[in-house]
Amino acid sequence: MDKKTIISINNISKSFGGVKAVDDVSFSVKQNEIKALIGPNGAGKTTLFNIITKLYTKDSGKIIFLDEDMEKYKSYNFAKMGISRTFQNIQLVDDLTVLENIALGYHSKMSVNLFDAFIHNRKNKRQEERANEKSLEILKFLKIEHMADKYPNEIPFGHKRLVEISRALVNDPVLLMLDEPAAGLNESETNRLLKTIFRIWEKGVTIFLIEHDMNLVMNCSHSIVVMDSGKKIAEGTPSYIQNNDNVIKAYFGE
Amino acid sequence: MLGGIIEFCLLKYNLPLGVSLLISSLSVAVIAALIHKIFISQTKNATELSLIIMTVGISITIKGSVMLLADKDAHPVDSFLPIAHISVFGAIFASQYLIVILFTFLIIFLLYLFFKKTLFGKIMQASSMNPLAARLFGVDVNMVQMLSFAISGFIGALAGAIIAPISFAQYDSGVLLGLKGFAASVVGGFGNNNGALIGGLIIGVAESLSAGYISSSYKDLAAFLIMLIVLFIRPQGLFSSKDVERV
Amino acid sequence: MKERYFFAVLFILIIFLGFFVKNPFILNMLSLSAITLIVVTGLNLLLGFAGQISLGHAGFVALGAYISAIASVKFGVNPWIAILIAVFATEIFAIFIGYPTLKLKSHYLAMATLAIGEIINIVTNAWVEATGGPQGFVGIPLLSVFGFALDNEVKFYFFIWSLTFILIFLSINLIDSKFGRALKTIKSKENAAYAFGINVHLYKMIVFLISVFYAALAGGLYAFYIGFISPSSFGLTESINYITMIVVGGMGNFVGVFISSVILSILPNLFASFEDYWPIINGLLLIFVIMFTPNGLKDIFKWTKKQ
């Protein structure tokens, strides 16, 4: 049975002052699939990620998410539509506790207005409680609930990553985008991450990740896109990618 | 402001004009460098916000000190030329204006040479655009920043000193001048010397026109109104095609 | 949570103080510091929580004061409606400044608000027919609440402190909501904020307008309390005073900022002969707090945050 396409990236290009960072790249991510984007440093992976989430504007191309052209949406609309992401260099807010940081991810699901917030009426209270419950639920799911009331600078690096993932999960996304989730993690933390990614996938979330750690990618993804110097050079299953000449050339030279 | 005040103090001791001009500008340059060395570069986790607050703190401290050491009065400074007023086509104006125009062009020319022709000028531009990359190439960014503080201190003091015969030297004469400088560079477009020059001209002309046609008490408004209008319709400035870094 | 208890206790103490203190000089001083506190609480939302700086907040206070005064004296409008008009007009002004500059890096807002402060100072000095010029604007009537005229120091003291605490509690509520989380995110991780669905420009506008609301309201109350306003009460020095109070109290900490505002607004009154030294003291405070204890008094009052 053919699976539904969650997001399709069509002919995306972007250059910075004459240098083509992303050059005519197309691929798609299917429902409930774990898709990885890999490539050597400077291949344009993070640029592409930022184009998809509209932190950068693209020069040309089209992005379709759940049959909708994303052209008309702003970057702050994405969360509500079901696209969540994490960041390569962790973006936890130091002034918020772990629990509050995760509740931040629930922002797009809250409809309270300024007045509700000022007087803390029942509507505000109900939504705040809901945000808290959801956040705690996710913390429990990732087994880090003992960290709820700590501040980000009081917890170890590996856990920060998990908190970021929790924050991206809390609003029940359709598509979860992970930007180098294993960067800076040690082996046992990476293993834990791998298990976490699978457990998230089991819940029915589609996952699209950029990764450097080959092991992680080969072990967890269903499909892999390889980029080099801005271009897509291969796409396929892990075993296909492992034996692809172009990929070997890009990674290990001639 | 500091330039004008120091110049005034030195002139009181009957030092020749050229010498006092040089000493006042150089001493402000040194003070600016010291400020960077002692305060700015030592600030922990400096963010843009904390640096703005820091410079505000430094500026009111200097202002307050000058107010205590000198006084609150406006001090007249003699014109640099022996004839105080000249007349051109029947319009009489202070001869000092000639000096101001002369110095402006001189400074712009020197800055142009500095940024385009010298290695150090290029290093400075590079450090401002991408501090990390500059550091990787072995540039001491901290040192560069300190020197740019010194240079801007020098030019600022020189400007204060040559304008003093027109506007008097006073402890709080700096804010308006500094703001107008900012307004001119906003109108012209940041990081664009020629733009800033034209921006300054537009603002200057608007100021004179509003002084002439409306009332001289409102002439300072012109600069800010023009700046706000430009910010509203063309935030990157009139003469800059580059995108301002938006959030 | 403890923050709210702290302020509840403080409120009771301040009300008690009102019953015992009979000296009108002291009451006047305390009422004035309550008005300052309103401005500072609003500015703290902008500067302390959202990390955006306004160097011309005294200008917005001035607009609130002058527009209220002119509306009530020259057009005979009821004082409360005059304040309402003043706040509304000041907000429109703020939209014009905030809309373009809040899209840019933070020093643009700093410079634009600095310019606005200067503009307002120039106009209030120069437009003598409307504002009374440097001599000031006289003959502003008193306020009354539900038919009670606030015609002595004690009555006004109770009124202004109650209002101040209401405004502080409202701000605490705001920060303790999704808006507070969004503002803190904008302060430290602006680029990431979009990913959580935060419309950064809109939120910056909202918090800027709230802080201008507090400032204009305080200006209107000031005018009707003192009965006389002049441009020298709303200069750049005042704008920087507000910032010093927030920086010393700890940006984004209600308790610390409360304490530093009350102390820093009362001290200059007690040591009037030191008037000339205040700018230096102010400047040095800013420099040293930023250099050595960027959190100000915040660290001391950290316990108020823990649940």
Side-chain angles (χ1 to χ4, degrees):
Chain A
M1 188 184 83
D2 223 22
K3 277 184 176 169
K4 195 167 124 197
T5 300
I6 297 292
I7 191 165
S8 74
I9 316 290
N10 305 305
N11 312 95
I12 300 293
S13 292
K14 166 83 181 173
S15 43
F16 292 107
V19 182
K20 285 215 160 175
V22 177
D23 189 0
D24 199 29
V25 172
S26 308
F27 59 88
S28 62
V29 183
K30 299 262 190 287
Q31 187 169 25
N32 205 13
E33 142 179 276
I34 301 179
K35 183 129 193 167
L37 174 62
I38 61 170
N41 266 330
K45 303 178 304 262
T46 298
T47 308
L48 183 63
F49 228 62
N50 285 336
I51 289 170
I52 296 173
T53 51
K54 281 220 173 162
L55 286 186
Y56 294 161
T57 50
K58 57 185 183 302
D59 296 340
S60 61
K62 202 172 192 178
I63 295 168
I64 311 278
F65 175 72
L66 294 178
D67 302 326
E68 276 212 80
D69 188 348
M70 298 306 275
E71 194 61 44
K72 56 180 179 286
Y73 296 102
K74 295 268 196 323
S75 56
Y76 51 80
N77 297 134
F78 286 29
K80 196 165 193 171
M81 300 176 69
I83 301 178
S84 281
R85 69 167 290 179
T86 64
F87 297 85
Q88 189 178 336
N89 30 5
I90 291 183
Q91 302 280 334
L92 294 178
V93 181
D94 296 332
D95 292 342
L96 298 173
T97 64
V98 164
L99 194 71
E100 288 169 328
N101 259 294
I102 298 172
L104 176 64
Y106 199 65
H107 185 93
S108 58
K109 295 253 167 164
M110 297 177 78
S111 62
V112 286
N113 60 31
L114 210 54
F115 179 75
D116 301 328
F118 260 128
I119 62 165
H120 266 212
N121 60 10
R122 190 170 291 164
K123 183 177 174 198
N124 185 72
K125 225 167 241 156
R126 216 182 301 127
Q127 293 196 10
E128 283 293 319
E129 273 164 19
R130 183 86 191 108
N132 255 330
E133 269 167 37
K134 282 289 285 182
S135 308
L136 262 177
E137 203 177 286
I138 297 285
L139 275 174
K140 279 185 189 138
F141 176 68
L142 295 189
K143 305 194 176 88
I144 47 172
E145 65 268 28
H146 56 286
M147 307 233 147
D149 290 328
K150 291 203 157 62
Y151 282 90
N153 55 14
E154 299 166 348
I155 65 173
F157 185 82
H159 286 92
K160 286 186 189 174
R161 207 72 341 120
L162 292 177
V163 175
E164 268 225 332
I165 296 177
S166 316
R167 183 172 61 188
L169 278 180
V170 74
N171 62 342
D172 300 317
V174 177
L175 176 69
L176 174 65
M177 296 175 57
L178 304 172
D179 190 353
E180 298 216 15
L185 299 190
N186 62 31
E187 212 182 308
S188 74
E189 286 170 335
T190 307
N191 282 333
R192 184 176 181 177
L193 177 74
L194 189 64
K195 281 184 202 135
T196 309
I197 290 176
F198 274 123
R199 293 183 57 218
I200 295 167
W201 170 74
E202 277 167 3
K203 282 178 59 165
V205 181
T206 305
I207 298 172
F208 176 44
L209 63 116
I210 297 181
E211 192 43 71
H212 246 107
D213 189 318
M214 270 302 184
N215 241 334
L216 183 88
V217 173
M218 294 303 164
N219 283 326
C220 82
S221 35
H222 303 119
S223 167
I224 297 175
V225 172
V226 189
M227 276 177 79
D228 184 29
S229 320
K231 289 194 176 69
K232 181 173 106 172
I233 57 171
E235 180 175 5
T237 60
S239 55
Y240 168 78
I241 294 294
Q242 261 167 335
N243 299 311
N244 183 293
D245 289 343
N246 287 336
V247 179
I248 295 167
K249 241 188 260 167
Y251 266 86
F252 305 108
E254 303 285 333
Chain B
M1 179 275 293
L2 211 48
I5 292 278
I6 294 178
E7 182 201 19
F8 168 76
C9 296
L10 292 174
L11 282 175
K12 255 204 325 217
Y13 294 109
N14 288 323
L15 283 172
L17 179 76
V19 178
S20 68
L21 204 60
L22 198 66
I23 295 180
S24 57
S25 304
L26 277 178
S27 52
V28 175
V30 171
I31 292 173
L34 281 178
I35 284 173
H36 181 269
K37 179 92 192 144
I38 300 171
F39 300 118
I40 311 269
S41 66
Q42 300 294 320
T43 306
K44 291 185 281 183
N45 322 320
T47 58
E48 192 182 355
L49 183 68
S50 66
L51 290 182
I52 293 176
I53 297 175
M54 187 78 161
T55 39
V56 168
I58 291 168
S59 100
I60 62 170
T61 310
I62 294 176
K63 222 165 82 176
S65 315
V66 172
M67 188 179 90
L68 281 181
L69 296 176
D71 49 43
K72 289 184 188 173
D73 300 332
H75 297 280
V77 175
D78 280 338
S79 172
F80 291 4
L81 295 175
I83 331 150
H85 295 89
I86 42 179
S87 98
V88 176
F89 304 124
I92 298 171
F93 58 92
S95 63
Q96 187 66 23
Y97 283 106
L98 283 180
I99 303 279
V100 173
I101 293 169
L102 197 73
F103 266 93
T104 310
F105 278 105
L106 192 67
I107 290 172
I108 289 168
F109 182 64
L110 288 178
L111 275 181
Y112 173 79
L113 284 184
F114 177 73
F115 280 118
K116 293 282 168 196
K117 304 284 177 204
T118 69
L119 178 65
F120 193 79
K122 285 175 185 166
I123 289 178
M124 206 182 232
Q125 280 182 304
S127 311
S128 121
M129 279 187 254
N130 194 338
L132 184 68
R135 194 169 290 138
L136 289 176
F137 280 103
V139 175
D140 184 347
V141 174
N142 210 6
M143 190 68 189
V144 171
Q145 280 179 354
M146 195 170 104
L147 273 165
S148 58
F149 254 74
I151 293 173
S152 69
F154 183 86
I155 295 175
L158 198 62
I162 55 178
I163 200 87
I166 299 172
S167 72
F168 301 145
Q170 196 179 4
Y171 78 102
D172 65 354
S173 58
V175 182
L176 270 181
L177 265 174
L179 261 175
K180 283 179 196 166
F182 182 80
S185 50
V186 166
V187 171
F190 256 101
N192 180 339
N193 264 339
N194 303 332
L197 179 65
I198 300 171
L201 271 177
I202 293 176
I203 284 180
V205 169
E207 223 166 65
S208 314
L209 286 178
S210 63
Y213 287 100
I214 306 169
S215 150
S216 63
S217 30
Y218 291 116
K219 80 176 169 51
D220 292 327
L221 282 186
F224 304 133
L225 288 180
I226 291 178
M227 175 178 87
L228 287 176
I229 293 168
V230 169
L231 273 180
F232 213 85
I233 50 179
R234 214 179 138 79
Q236 72 272 37
L238 294 180
F239 304 100
S240 184
S241 55
K242 261 191 304 179
D243 256 5
V244 182
E245 195 171 334
R246 280 168 183 259
V247 292
Chain C
M1 266 294 106
K2 282 187 183 167
E3 224 164 34
R4 291 202 174 84
Y5 293 123
F6 181 90
F7 279 110
V9 173
L10 214 57
F11 180 61
I12 295 168
L13 279 179
I14 281 175
I15 293 301
F16 258 106
L17 207 62
F19 286 111
F20 292 112
V21 178
K22 292 280 172 274
N23 184 338
F25 171 73
I26 294 178
L27 284 174
N28 167 271
M29 210 163 64
L30 290 173
S31 298
L32 284 176
S33 83
I35 292 178
T36 305
L37 201 50
I38 294 176
V39 184
V40 173
T41 303
L43 186 59
N44 192 20
L45 295 175
L46 179 74
L47 173 60
F49 290 100
Q52 310 299 312
I53 191 165
S54 160
L55 294 175
H57 242 53
F60 298 120
V61 181
L63 272 184
Y66 273 99
I67 298 173
S68 316
I70 291 167
S72 80
V73 173
K74 307 230 154 148
F75 299 97
V77 177
N78 170 293
W80 284 107
I81 296 179
I83 291 180
L84 207 67
I85 294 171
V87 168
F88 190 72
T90 312
E91 290 288 9
I92 296 207
F93 221 77
I95 289 173
F96 272 98
I97 300 149
Y99 184 81
T101 49
L102 285 169
K103 278 184 182 165
L104 308 166
K105 290 179 114 187
S106 58
H107 60 253
Y108 279 89
L109 181 68
M111 298 307 280
T113 46
L114 185 59
I116 279 299
E118 290 295 308
I119 289 179
I120 291 167
N121 212 272
I122 292 166
V123 173
T124 48
N125 267 307
W127 195 11
V128 181
E129 310 88 78
T131 66
Q135 259 64 50
F137 192 109
V138 288
I140 307 165
L142 291 168
L143 276 179
S144 57
V145 183
F146 305 123
F148 277 107
L150 300 171
D151 52 4
N152 67 33
E153 291 291 351
V154 186
K155 285 181 195 167
F156 189 80
Y157 174 92
F158 284 128
F159 161 73
I160 193 75
W161 274 106
S162 308
L163 184 67
T164 305
F165 271 91
I166 291 173
L167 290 169
I168 290 176
F169 273 102
L170 289 178
S171 319
I172 294 177
N173 279 350
L174 183 75
I175 290 306
D176 190 15
S177 79
K178 76 162 188 175
F179 289 92
R181 289 194 291 271
L183 296 181
K184 288 174 181 172
T185 309
I186 289 172
K187 182 182 181 186
S188 61
K189 298 284 180 318
E190 184 170 322
N191 287 326
Y194 294 98
F196 316 127
I198 297 166
N199 181 345
V200 172
H201 184 226
L202 177 71
Y203 274 72
K204 283 185 181 174
M205 279 298 279
I206 289 175
V207 71
F208 180 57
L209 294 184
I210 293 173
S211 82
V212 169
F213 175 91
Y214 276 54
L217 176 65
L221 293 168
Y222 176 85
F224 288 111
Y225 171 49
I226 302 289
F228 162 81
I229 47 176
S230 77
S232 63
S233 319
F234 311 106
L236 178 60
T237 324
E238 279 307 307
S239 296
I240 295 174
N241 280 346
Y242 299 138
I243 288 167
T244 313
M245 290 169 189
I246 292 171
V247 170
V248 171
M251 288 188 264
N253 181 291
F254 285 107
V255 179
V257 168
F258 180 97
I259 291 173
S260 72
S261 308
V262 172
I263 293 175
L264 288 176
S265 61
I266 285 179
L267 276 185
N269 286 322
L270 295 180
F271 302 101
S273 52
F274 285 102
E275 195 196 339
D276 285 350
Y277 293 92
W278 279 111
I280 301 186
I281 295 174
N282 239 330
L284 291 178
L285 269 177
L286 283 177
I287 295 172
F288 287 107
V289 171
I290 292 287
M291 274 183 79
F292 300 114
T293 57
N295 286 335
L297 297 176
K298 199 178 190 170
D299 292 338
I300 301 174
F301 297 104
K302 217 173 177 177
W303 53 268
T304 55
K305 281 278 164 198
K306 295 269 178 200
Q307 328 230 311

